[in-house]
Each structure stands twice: as C-alpha cells, then as structure tokens.
Amino acid sequence: MLGKVLVPTDFSEDAKKILLCLTRIPGMKEVVLQHVVDATHYSRHGWTHEPHIRNAKIQLMEEKELLENLGFAVTVAVDVITSGDIATAIIARAGNEDVSFIIMGSRGRGLIRGLLLGSVSSDVLRYGKTHLLLMRHDHAGEPEGAISDRFCSGLFQRVLYPTDFSEPAEYALSFIKNLEAPGEVHVLHVVTKGETREEVESNVLEATRKLEEMKRDLAGAGLSVKTHVRLGRPTDEIVSLAEGEGISLVLMSSHGKGFLKGLLVGSTTLGVAIHTNRPLMVIRPACCRRDADTR
Ligand code: ATP
Ligand code: MN
C-alpha cells in the first residue's frame, strides 16, 4: 500500500521513533530519507552551514544502514535551502522522487507545549500533493521515550474513517479496502444539518442507511466494521470518537464535499490534524492536489 515513501527528519526524538516504526508498517519497500538544512539565516557557526551539513550526512548514512539491514531500499538526501522554507523543500523532494507518501512526525524539535501540529507538518499538509501520514507517539499514557506498539505494528488495528459521503471521502475508502493488515474499521458520519427535529431524524436515518451499506461492502472485503452516526461539528466528533474508541489511526481524505471551493485542505481535515493526538493519514485524491504556487 505504501510503496515508496519520503521520510523527512530533523533528527528529533519523534523522527527517530518514526524510523523504527517504519519497519513495522506493512507494504513499505523504498524509503527516501531527507534532511533539510535551513541556510536562510545565521547558524551557530556564523554563515557557514558546513558542520551542520556534514553532520546531517553522517546521521542519514547511519539511518540508511539501519533500514537497509532491515530489508528496505534506501536513498538519502540533504537539501540545503538558501531561500524558501523547509516545508517547500520537503514537498519538492516528494515530487522529484515521485513518492506516494510522506511520513513525518506531527511535531519536530520546536516543542511548544500543547501544540499538536508543528508548522512544517502543517505546511506539508496544506501545500503538499502526496498522501501524508502524520505520526504521533507521546499521547496520554505512553511512557516517555517508549516506542508504542499501538502506533507501529498496531497502526492499522483500529482505523477511524470519517466520511461525509463525498467523492474524495470515497477515494479514501478504497485505501481502507486495500489495507494489508486490517483490524477493526470504525466508520463515522457526523450529521451537521437539520432545522427541525424531523429533519434531523431523517438525516440520521439516511446516514445510518448509507453506513450500513458501506459496512456490508467492507465486510465483503473481509473487514470488521463498526458504524457511528453523531450530531455536531465534524472535527469535534472525530477527535472525541478517536479518543473514546482507542483509535490507532484516523484515515481521511484531504477534502470533502467542499472540494470544488478550491481550498488547499478541507476545514475538517485541518481541524482534526490540529486537534487529534492520534496518528493521521491524509489521502489526497487527484481532484484535490492543489497548486502550491498560490502561496
Ligand atoms: P470544507 O468543509 O472546509 O468546505 P471540504 O468539505 O472539502 O471543505 P472537509 O470538510 O475537511 O473538506 O472534508 C474532509 C474529510 O473530513 C471528509 O472526507 C471526511 O473524512 C471528513 N468529514 C467532513 N465532514 C464530515 C461529516 N459531516 N461527517 C464525517 N466526516 C466528515
Ligand atoms: Mn466539509
């Protein structure tokens, strides 16, 4: 399913954990490891970034060896930027290497407490054109420094798939059907509209019917499925259900019903990325690979 992936690393603790996690994600064969040296400003050594570059190359080679010993084909890249920003360099590398996925931590070194999504990750989510897996490790209950099994080998154990029944959401569903190590799939629709009680009830009934249909379809593909209909704001309900059901991965598309509006990423997906403490896989259908040149 994952094929060739780009793993940008800032050599932070989280990024290192991701490397070890990679080995437990089924279907991955080829890895591009990337470090971006930001030479747009003054470094510790003045205007020379050579020590940083040398150091990055050494570290990447070590990581390459580690992954090669585990059977992956690995290439490494140190990209030095003198203008622009790190996220742009990551997106460019993903394009050049033609990877299908970028896998990265949702936060790097810039550790502002309480912030669940760092600025680089946030920009890759907004402006990127490939699918994205945002890993998260240290959420409540995980011992400091531990590699959580739930988020590595158990990444696909309990997948939450929120759907607004749109075309992009349907596309994300096809990824779920192709999971190589399927566990339980929770399908959620949040009813957001209804001006009278009757209208709300009829929307709930309609959603229930559609979810049951989807359940039969997924069950046919050998998946074990639970359905949920909730009322409220999609982002809030997705985040709280992920928590309540012990979800190991939220899998959703970058856009939903509003994909024609031309947003870089839908507001629900962005909200979930900012507020959930679970790993998040964002599937970007062809319709929704917006041009980043609009920045
Ligand atoms: P926006 O709503 O900001 O105009 P959009 O509709 O294109 O933009 P999102 O609403 O973020 O984008 O949709 C992205 C994904 O969010 C959907 O594919 C789906 O997974 C989830 N989602 C959105 N609305 C709902 C909903 N009512 N119930 C469940 N999931 C939803
Ligand atoms: Mn929407």
Side-chain angles (χ1 to χ4, degrees):
M1 168 193 179
L2 294 181
K4 184 175 177 182
V5 305
L6 172 67
V7 183
T9 172
D10 60 355
F11 305 117
S12 59
E13 276 310 305
D14 267 21
K16 286 187 185 141
K17 283 185 206 159
I18 288 171
L19 278 192
L20 297 169
C21 269
L22 290 184
T23 62
R24 309 190 204 170
I25 296 178
M28 240 185 49
K29 295 179 186 74
E30 241 185 294
V31 183
V32 180
L33 294 173
Q34 179 197 27
H35 179 72
V36 182
V37 176
D38 187 352
T40 58
H41 56 72
Y42 215 64
S43 83
R44 244 186 316 141
H45 311 277
W47 272 110
T48 170
H49 294 270
E50 273 315 312
H52 184 171
I53 296 169
R54 253 198 320 274
N55 199 19
K57 283 184 180 155
I58 294 168
Q59 290 201 60
L60 283 186
M61 288 315 284
E62 280 171 16
E63 295 185 343
K64 173 178 156 91
E65 197 179 325
L66 183 129
L67 288 178
E68 277 176 346
N69 287 336
L70 293 162
F72 293 98
V74 184
T75 49
V76 301
V78 175
D79 292 324
V80 183
I81 53 164
T82 51
S83 66
D85 57 33
I86 298 174
T88 308
I90 292 171
I91 293 163
R93 178 59 64 183
N96 294 340
E97 303 277 352
D98 200 22
V99 302
S100 55
F101 263 92
I102 298 175
I103 303 185
M104 64 196 293
S106 53
R107 273 179 342 194
R109 284 184 181 279
L111 247 191
I112 296 175
R113 270 180 84 84
L115 198 68
L116 287 167
L117 188 68
S119 63
V120 174
S121 311
S122 165
D123 280 353
V124 171
L125 169 64
R126 274 181 241 249
Y127 303 108
K129 294 185 181 185
T130 55
H131 310 312
L132 175 65
L133 174 56
L134 286 173
M135 294 296 281
R136 285 189 167 99
H137 304 272
D138 29 51
H139 81 83
E142 298 299 326
E144 183 82 21
I147 297 163
S148 164
D149 242 22
R150 193 142 59 102
F151 292 162
C152 291
S153 56
L155 193 63
F156 298 109
Q157 277 306 302
R158 269 182 181 216
V159 178
L160 170 58
Y161 165 66
T163 178
D164 60 355
F165 304 118
S166 63
E167 238 176 83
E170 286 291 313
Y171 181 82
L173 185 65
S174 63
F175 270 74
I176 296 193
K177 285 189 196 157
N178 289 330
L179 284 181
E180 286 171 38
E184 205 172 84
V185 180
H186 291 251
V187 184
L188 163 69
H189 178 74
V190 183
V191 171
T192 55
K193 290 201 183 76
E195 286 173 5
T196 60
R197 185 128 81 95
E198 289 73 30
E199 208 182 318
V200 173
E201 274 169 9
S202 119
N203 287 344
V204 168
L205 273 178
E206 173 70 3
T208 309
R209 188 189 59 74
K210 285 185 179 160
L211 291 182
E212 280 310 310
E213 205 175 292
M214 210 174 266
K215 180 175 176 171
R216 273 196 301 277
D217 184 34
L218 288 170
L223 293 164
S224 133
V225 183
K226 290 202 171 142
T227 60
H228 308 263
V229 178
R230 294 231 179 148
L231 299 175
R233 254 176 34 115
T235 298
D236 298 345
E237 296 306 318
I238 293 165
V239 170
S240 82
L241 195 130
E243 194 88 25
E245 293 286 343
I247 290 301
S248 58
L249 175 74
V250 180
L251 190 156
M252 62 201 291
S253 56
S254 57
H255 295 75
K257 270 192 168 43
F259 77 96
L260 291 174
K261 287 192 298 199
L263 296 178
L264 286 168
V265 63
S267 58
T268 310
T269 303
L270 186 60
V272 172
I274 292 170
H275 295 293
T276 186
N277 58 8
R278 310 284 146 161
L280 171 67
M281 188 179 274
V282 178
I283 303 299
R284 218 183 288 268
C287 66
C288 306
R289 296 177 187 186
R290 306 275 183 230
D291 227 323
D293 303 338
T294 49
R295 289 180 82 170

